[in-house]
Structures are given as C-alpha cells and as structure tokens.
C-alpha cells in the first residue's frame, strides 16, 4: 500500500493504529486523554501560528508563552473560527501550500463562495484511521466477502477517496458510482448494484430513497431484487425514523455512519452499538450556547445540547481552532457497553434550520423524527408549514407512498403525536415532492425538505434558490 513507499506515512499509520487500538479497548484513562489533547493542542497552536496567515493574525494578541503553556481546559480563552472566516480567508487559512498536499478538495459553494480543503497524507491517515477503527466491527458482522458501493460525488470531494480507502483497509472490494453523473445515471447504477452484486452501500439518505424510488419505477423490489445487507448513510440530516424506514425499504441494516465536513473532516463515526461517537484522539470538542458562545452544562440526563465547536489536534494542510460548525448536537458521555469509550453525538440540524411552531422552537432532527415515527415504506417525504387566519401554525406531511395502502391508524397516531408534542395540527397527503428533496446534502435539510409558506420571502433565500437550481438540473 501507499504508506509503505513513504516512511513518514508508514510510521504515522503504525502509530495511530496502535493508539486507536488501545483507546478502543478502554486502556486510556481520563488523565491520559487530557494529557494527550493538551500536548497536541500546543503543537497545533504553534504550527498554525507559524504557518497560517489567518491564524498568525488571529492569535497575534496572545503571547508565545501563553500558547505554549495552554492547557486543553483553557481552550475557551482562544477566539472562535467561523464559516465566514473560512470564506473570507480562503487560502490564507491554510498552513501549507497546496503543493504540499496529496489532494485538493473544496466545499460545494452552492450557498456561498467555495473554500479550499486540501489534505496532506497526515490529514488523511488521521481521519481514515478513525473510520477504519470504528467501522471494523460493523462490517465484521456481515462477513469478509463484500462488495461495497460508494454513491457520492468525486469531483473536488472527499467521499469516494475516503470511503474507498477505508474499505480497502478493511479488505472489501469497492465500486464507485455517482448516479447523478451523466456517465452512470440511475439505470446503470441499479444494474451494477444487482450485477456484482453490491452487499453494502455508502450514500446519503436522499440517495438511498431515490435509488429505491427508481428501482420501484423499473418494476423492481429493493428488498427482493438486490443484495444489500448494509447501508452506511451520511451527508445530510437523518433522524432514527428516517434511518429505520430506509433500512426497511432495502431490507438492510442501516447506520448513520459519519458526521463530518469538508472543512473540519471526520468529527464522529458509527460504531457497532448503533451510535455516532466522537474521535477525541484527533479532535477536541465543545458544546456551546449558539447565542452567547458560553459552554453548555449537561442536563439532568447528562446530555449537552448546543452548537458544536471543534479543534483539530493534528497538523496538516488546514487545522482549525475552535471552529463553530453551525450545527446543533446532543453529546452524551460514554456509558457501560459503549463500543468505543467516547461520547455519543447526535447532530440534530443547523442552528439556522430550526422552526418556530406555535411557541415551540424545534430542530430538524426532532421534527423529522416526530412526523415520520409512525410510517414505514415511503419513498420520499416533504413538510409544508402554513398559518391560518387566527395566526396558528399548521403542518402538512407529504409522503411518496402507495395511497391505497391502509394508512389510517398510522396517520391517526402521527396527528396525535404532533398535537401532543408541538401543539400543532398535522395533515398527511400522498404525492411525489420531486427532485428538490435530493438536494439536502448539497444545500440544507430545510431548503430540501421544508416548504414554509408563512414567510413570502423564504423561497427567495440563497439556499432555496440553490436547491431549486440543483433540483431543476436533476429533473
């Protein structure tokens, strides 16, 4: 493999494999992890200050002595890095020239200026070691003679490279196919899924639904006519209700397999206990109040709910310091029986994607989970929000499903759930929302899934226009 031709990469691979093996077996104490994170933080701070024009200026007011003596518990004394910083700084954010990287990626730029995201060998080895270590038990349950499909974009995007490399680490064959590509298309993708046959698939939830829809349109049964045993879903918001529906559609075990971004790389990954867990050996995590920026205390159940802030604890092309992801999460400490002794993480939607409904502020994850809880077997869905003359908010759920199937009890329960939890009336209809629902990974959950008719200007936002443009190209 490549690392054997590069002594530095080979040594790093061997070192990280050993560290993750020990950590996964619970051999690290809390003090040892704290010492590790503190040492890595000091190294990264010195590195970005020396090499990144952005951080040289950003950290200018902090002395070298202060940074060199900073403990990981003092990290809140450092300034935040924001998405706006990334868009404005562009290549000044980097700590190395692109020529020192092994590959160049960038953000999609669908709702703003793309930002450069090159990766060095070290970046890739750090992040892919997390996925290899966390995924190995999931894949082991399905045997060692697997063919894994990867249905994600590859141009200037990490999806194909990352999952391809991880599957190779785990000893599985890979077929990369992007159904939205004119070279492949959905018909050929479905043919390849059956021909090989593909036993596992990495894709977005929207892609899994779209593939199932195209299969049904072709007269095929996703459960009967395909051999998928494992669905590794990522790239957009996905509640347990949606995940379980997708698994039921394909007759496969479905996982929310990854929380990551082009900018910050791998932040949490699926483990065999069915949860996403953070990677504290390579990142430091904070949960803050998105309004005040202050740390959030655990609730009585030990859950911290707020905006995720992450600091990369490895040097490379673009380490980020206290990066505000803009994503709301729930973080819960690892308990007995955790597959990996690291906190569980539930990404529940962007801060700006929350919806106000009759006095309740609800995130996308919880709204989707609530509305879809009672339904199985649908091929797509969309939510519409209206307001009546009395100023009361109303919800409508459109399901792409057979309307002649008996849905009465399911609808009745869903209506009752919505009334009880959100004081909001719900109606359920059947129809095809169209290709806009497939744009969630490119734009946002809200732009893809929610039609908010309360605000006449909502459809003219940058995200809404981007979703409509992408959907039009895919129609």
């Amino acid at each position: 493999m490549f690392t054997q031709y590069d002594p530095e990469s080979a040594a790093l691979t061997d070192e990280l494999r050993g560290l993750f093996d020990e950590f996964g077996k619970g051999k690290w104490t809390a003090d040892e992890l704290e010492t590790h994170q503190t040492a890595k933080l000091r190294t990264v701070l010195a590195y970005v200050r020396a090499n990144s024009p952005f951080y040289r200026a950003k950290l200018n007011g902090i002395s070298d002595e202060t940074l060199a003596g900073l403990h990981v518990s003092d990290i809140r004394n450092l300034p935040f890095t924001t998405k706006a910083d990334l868009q404005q700084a562009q290549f000044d954010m980097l700590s190395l020239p692109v020529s020192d990287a092994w590959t160049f990626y960038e953000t999609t730029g669908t709702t703003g200026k793309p930002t450069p995201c090159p990766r060095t060998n070290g970046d890739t080895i750090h992040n892919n070691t997390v996925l290899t270590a966390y995924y190995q038990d999931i894949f082991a349950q399905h045997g060692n003679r697997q063919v894994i499909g990867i249905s994600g974009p590859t141009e200037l995007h990490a999806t194909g490279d990352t999952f391809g490399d991880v599957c190779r680490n785990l000893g599985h064959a890979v077929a990369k196919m992007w159904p939205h590509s004119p070279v492949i298309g959905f018909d050929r993708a479905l043919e390849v899924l059956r021909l090989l046959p593909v036993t596992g698939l990495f894709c977005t939830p929207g892609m899994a639904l779209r593939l199932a829809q195209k299969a049904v349109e072709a007269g095929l049964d996703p459960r009967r006519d395909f051999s998928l045993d494992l669905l590794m879903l990522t790239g957009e918001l996905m509640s347990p209700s949606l995940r379980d529906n997708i698994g039921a559609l394909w007759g496969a075990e479905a996982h929310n397999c990854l929380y990551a971004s082009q900018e910050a790389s791998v932040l949490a990954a699926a483990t065999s206990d069915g949860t996403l867990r953070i990677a504290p050996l390579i990142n430091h995590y904070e949960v803050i109040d998105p309004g005040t920026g202050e740390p959030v205390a655990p609730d009585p159940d030990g859950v911290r709910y707020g905006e995720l802030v992450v600091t990369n604890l490895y040097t490379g092309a673009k380490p980020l310091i206290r990066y505000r992801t803009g994503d709301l999460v729930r973080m819960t400490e690892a308990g007995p029986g955790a597959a990996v002794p690291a906190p569980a993480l539930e990404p529940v939607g962007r801060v700006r994607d929350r919806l106000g409904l009759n006095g309740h502020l609800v995130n996308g994850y919880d709204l989707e989970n609530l509305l879809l809880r009672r339904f199985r077997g649908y091929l797509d869905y969309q939510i519409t929000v209206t307001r009546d003359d009395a100023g009361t908010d109303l919800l409508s759920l459109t399901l792409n499903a057979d309307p002649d199937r008996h849905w009465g009890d399911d609808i009745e329960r869903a209506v009752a759930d919505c009334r009880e939890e959100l004081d909001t009336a719900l109606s359920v209809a059947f129809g095809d929302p169209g290709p806009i629902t497939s744009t969630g990974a490119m734009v946002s959950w809200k732009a893809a899934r929610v039609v908010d008719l309360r605000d006449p200007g909502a459809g003219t936002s940058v995200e809404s226009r981007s979703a409509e443009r992408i959907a039009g190209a895919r129609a």
Side-chain angles (χ1 to χ4, degrees):
M1 300 198 43
F2 162 76
T3 55
Q4 297 304 313
Y5 290 88
D6 183 87
E8 185 176 345
S9 295
L12 178 60
T13 300
D14 188 57
E15 176 191 358
L16 288 175
R17 181 175 181 176
L19 291 177
F20 273 88
D21 184 56
E22 290 181 356
F23 179 76
K25 292 177 180 177
K27 295 182 179 180
W28 284 52
T29 66
D31 287 343
E32 287 172 334
L33 179 59
E34 189 175 282
T35 298
H36 168 87
Q37 289 192 326
T38 295
K40 294 297 183 182
L41 175 64
R42 293 173 180 175
T43 298
V44 170
L45 288 173
Y47 178 80
V48 298
R49 174 112 130 197
N51 296 293
S52 165
F54 171 82
Y55 281 118
R56 189 176 304 122
K58 187 83 167 178
L59 302 175
N60 185 52
I62 306 175
S63 70
D64 290 341
E65 292 75 19
T66 298
L67 290 180
L70 199 73
H71 189 274
V72 71
S73 61
D74 303 319
I75 198 169
R76 59 181 296 193
N77 296 326
L78 300 175
F80 290 118
T81 304
T82 66
K83 289 181 183 288
D85 289 333
L86 268 61
Q87 291 181 332
Q88 293 166 10
Q90 293 289 311
F91 288 88
D92 281 349
M93 185 68 65
L94 306 187
S95 291
L96 290 174
V98 174
S99 58
D100 285 358
W102 85 267
T103 190
F104 179 82
Y105 306 126
E106 64 180 21
T107 57
T108 59
T110 52
T111 58
K113 192 174 183 181
T115 59
C117 304
R119 305 268 174 90
T120 64
N121 294 327
D123 290 323
T124 295
I125 293 168
H126 275 88
N127 285 277
N128 290 4
T129 298
V130 175
L131 300 184
T132 303
Y134 285 21
Y135 288 173
Q136 58 185 347
D137 288 344
I138 295 175
F139 278 85
Q141 296 172 17
H142 298 276
N144 58 8
R145 299 182 61 84
Q146 297 180 53
V147 178
I148 309 300
I150 301 173
S151 289
T154 55
E155 296 87 349
L156 299 178
H157 201 281
T159 299
D161 292 333
T162 298
F163 292 135
D165 191 46
V166 170
C167 286
R168 182 168 62 175
N169 291 345
L170 294 172
H172 304 303
V174 165
K176 298 178 185 178
M177 47 189 173
W178 179 221
H180 289 298
S181 163
V183 177
I184 304 297
F186 279 88
D187 290 343
R188 179 56 181 162
L190 290 171
E191 188 176 22
V192 170
L193 286 173
R194 299 181 70 197
L195 176 68
L196 296 183
V198 170
T199 58
L201 181 65
F202 284 93
C203 66
T204 66
M207 177 59 72
L209 290 172
R210 187 65 60 181
L211 283 166
Q213 184 177 347
K214 294 292 186 180
V216 171
E217 290 173 359
L220 300 170
D221 182 333
R223 295 175 62 92
R224 183 192 65 227
D225 296 318
F226 296 84
S227 300
L228 287 178
D229 296 318
L230 183 63
L231 286 164
M232 301 291 276
L233 305 169
T234 186
E236 59 194 45
L237 184 73
M238 182 177 62
S239 66
S241 293
L242 181 60
R243 179 201 63 208
D244 291 348
N245 177 71
I246 293 172
L249 279 176
W250 289 96
E253 176 185 313
H255 287 268
N256 186 352
C257 76
L258 175 66
Y259 171 58
S261 70
Q262 291 278 77
E263 305 99 307
S265 296
V266 172
L267 302 180
T271 57
S272 58
D273 59 19
T275 61
L276 285 169
R277 296 196 177 273
I278 65 170
L281 297 192
I282 69 166
N283 298 306
H284 178 268
Y285 300 82
E286 302 170 74
V287 181
I288 65 167
D289 182 301
T292 67
E294 293 299 309
V296 172
D299 67 13
D301 295 322
V303 180
R304 286 183 287 162
Y305 173 62
E307 181 182 355
L308 183 68
V309 175
V310 65
T311 297
N312 300 134
L313 298 179
Y314 52 94
T315 57
K318 191 176 70 173
L320 299 178
I321 308 300
R322 297 201 80 202
Y323 174 57
R324 292 187 65 159
T325 63
D327 293 335
L328 291 169
V329 302
R330 294 191 187 98
M331 188 180 294
T332 309
E333 292 300 319
V340 174
L345 191 77
E346 278 186 319
V348 298
R350 296 182 183 180
V351 173
R352 64 176 183 268
D353 280 357
R354 290 177 293 182
L355 285 172
L357 297 168
N358 296 319
H360 299 267
L361 186 62
V362 61
N363 60 59
Y365 181 94
D366 290 336
L367 181 61
E368 179 185 86
N369 199 40
L370 172 67
L371 298 189
L372 300 178
R373 182 186 300 164
R374 303 296 182 175
F375 302 104
R376 294 292 179 270
Y378 55 89
L379 297 166
D380 208 354
Y381 85 93
Q382 190 172 56
I383 300 166
T384 302
V385 191
T386 57
R387 180 172 290 152
D388 66 17
D389 293 339
T392 302
D393 297 321
L394 307 171
L395 286 173
S396 177
L397 174 65
T398 300
L399 295 174
N400 184 344
D402 180 4
D404 295 328
R405 176 179 154 186
H406 179 68
W407 296 97
D409 292 343
D410 298 325
I411 293 174
E412 186 176 321
R413 292 190 186 100
V415 169
D417 290 343
C418 195
R419 176 66 73 183
E420 179 181 352
E421 296 196 24
L422 297 176
D423 301 316
T424 301
L426 171 69
S427 61
V428 179
F430 297 90
D432 184 358
I436 193 168
T437 55
S438 71
T439 67
M442 300 289 288
V443 187
S444 75
W445 171 85
K446 189 174 181 180
R449 294 289 182 184
V450 178
V451 179
D452 193 342
L453 299 179
R454 299 172 299 178
D455 181 3
T460 62
S461 68
V462 172
E463 290 195 340
S464 295
R465 292 198 306 270
S466 297
E468 291 284 357
R469 176 177 52 81
I470 297 169
R474 290 177 173 180

